[in-house]
Amino acid sequence: MDLDVERLLSAVERTVASLERDGQAARAVTLARSYATTVEDLWDAVTSAERIPRWFLPVSGRLELGGRYQLEGNAGGTIKHCERPSHLGLTWEFGDDLSWVEARLRSDGIGHSRLAITHTALVSDHWHEFGPGAVGVGWEMGLLGMELHLARPNEPKLDAATFHTTRDGKALIVGSCAAWGRAAEAAGTDPDVARAAAQRTAAFYTGETTATD
């Protein structure tokens, strides 16, 4: 499957913010983009146990306010907010790490809707090593999966195990990492520190330690 890498990278808005969470230093990583569908359809894709695996990961659990969910091979948590069709908030529990994810949806012009995902995590050694790309790149691959699901609902989703080895997959990942490095710089991170973290993130995803901007 050929992908328009430049269009996909430019479609995503990326921001990083510093804040406190439970009295500790934290960072909020937000990415957003528009889709050619209604808010109601986008909400269904974000929250439906049948549709989530078609663009993201298989999910189990009680997908309702107060319920617990589990993504196959990844995080689980509790659904803290559920305001159809505009706001979903949940905890993101992976091993011993706790962070928080919010999805906000709204109309974005005739026939289009906007999805914004904010992942807030406490500042840690992991953050210092990889920066915002540590969560931003993974969510960006999810946004790609959503586009393909909405535009080509009858086609199989991309193979996550091999996507990074394809020409377009590698270009998209490396480009995303570089863009998150620039977002970190815009948020006040030293340019050399932001660039080095972005390169480490790209190397992690591609397996190539020489990955660069």
Side-chain angles (χ1 to χ4, degrees):
M1 179 186 298
D2 290 331
L3 300 174
D4 186 341
V5 173
E6 290 304 315
R7 181 188 66 80
L8 291 168
L9 289 171
S10 64
V12 180
E13 300 172 21
R14 307 169 186 84
T15 58
V16 181
S18 300
L19 66 155
E20 282 194 359
R21 181 88 191 207
D22 299 334
Q24 300 182 64
R27 298 291 185 270
V29 174
T30 300
L31 59 164
R33 61 155 298 175
S34 182
Y35 294 99
T37 191
T38 64
V39 171
E40 289 76 13
D41 182 55
L42 188 57
W43 174 265
D44 187 66
V46 168
T47 60
S48 164
E50 188 274 329
R51 292 182 70 180
I52 292 171
R54 294 160 63 186
W55 64 271
F56 197 47
L57 292 168
V59 63
S60 59
R62 189 163 58 92
L63 303 189
E64 59 187 44
L65 184 63
R68 287 194 62 82
Y69 72 93
Q70 179 63 53
L71 293 165
E72 185 176 291
N74 205 294
T78 301
I79 299 171
K80 296 292 190 178
H81 304 279
C82 186
E83 301 168 17
R84 181 186 183 96
S86 60
H87 180 210
L88 179 70
L90 46 87
T91 61
W92 187 266
E93 302 167 28
F94 188 79
D96 295 328
D97 292 328
L98 170 65
S99 54
W100 303 266
V101 173
E102 287 190 290
R104 295 187 181 275
L105 297 76
R106 63 171 172 79
S107 176
D108 196 27
I110 298 174
H112 286 78
S113 301
R114 175 184 171 89
L115 171 62
I117 295 174
T118 298
H119 194 144
T120 301
L122 301 178
V123 175
S124 63
D125 290 342
H126 187 70
W127 175 273
H128 290 306
E129 183 174 3
F130 295 107
V135 296
V137 174
W139 282 117
E140 201 159 328
M141 296 307 105
L143 294 189
L144 168 61
M146 178 69 81
E147 170 168 301
L148 297 177
H149 165 59
L150 294 173
R152 312 172 188 179
N154 297 319
E155 294 185 14
K157 69 178 184 179
L158 295 172
D159 184 353
T162 61
F163 182 62
H164 68 283
T165 67
T166 66
R167 179 198 62 191
D168 290 343
K170 179 182 175 183
L172 192 64
I173 289 168
V174 172
S176 173
C177 290
W180 281 111
R182 292 190 292 272
E185 285 187 50
T189 301
D190 177 89
D192 291 337
V193 172
R195 192 175 303 111
Q199 291 175 1
R200 285 191 291 269
T201 304
F204 172 82
Y205 274 97
T206 65
E208 298 183 8
T209 58
T210 56
T212 59
D213 185 346

